[in-house]
Amino acid sequence: MFSLSDIAIQFPHAEVERVPVRYNILYSALLPLIILTLITTLLSPSQSPNRFHKAHVTILGLLISLLLTSFLTDTFKNAIGRPRPDLLARCKPAK
């Protein structure tokens, strides 16, 4: 639990996000997806019959890594995480 007098959770709520959600998705998923797909399809020998299979396996590997990262991050945040620094500003508890 937490105490209302804890100064570590009494910061003001930030109205503007530091990094917008669309940039998070772009930097973590779309940009690596485009780069990896281009590398596996364009840098493979053009006569190679399995170059699209390599691209498919690469995309699946990226998706699995993103899902595993998200799962582990949420698990660790719930297991050992502390309350947010702006918890009191977000929840506005009755004194």
Side-chain angles (χ1 to χ4, degrees):
M1 294 303 286
F2 59 91
S3 171
L4 292 178
S5 62
D6 186 5
I7 61 170
I9 59 174
Q10 292 180 355
F11 290 94
H13 176 63
E15 293 297 328
V16 179
E17 295 180 24
R18 303 297 190 263
V19 179
V21 174
R22 65 180 179 271
Y23 289 146
N24 284 338
I25 294 170
L26 176 72
Y27 294 143
S28 68
L30 293 179
L31 194 62
L33 178 68
I34 292 169
I35 292 171
L36 290 172
T37 304
L38 288 176
I39 287 174
T40 56
T41 56
L42 296 179
L43 295 182
S44 294
S46 61
Q47 302 302 321
S48 177
N50 62 354
R51 92 177 150 174
F52 293 111
H53 175 70
K54 285 182 183 180
H56 181 253
V57 170
T58 302
I59 292 169
L60 289 176
L62 176 65
L63 293 176
I64 288 172
S65 67
L66 289 172
L67 290 173
L68 184 63
T69 300
S70 176
F71 172 74
L72 290 176
T73 301
D74 288 343
T75 301
F76 285 124
K77 281 171 65 175
N78 289 335
I80 58 176
R82 297 181 54 224
R84 298 180 66 93
D86 60 351
L87 176 71
L88 296 180
R90 286 177 183 256
C91 296
K92 298 180 180 87
K95 302 268 178 186

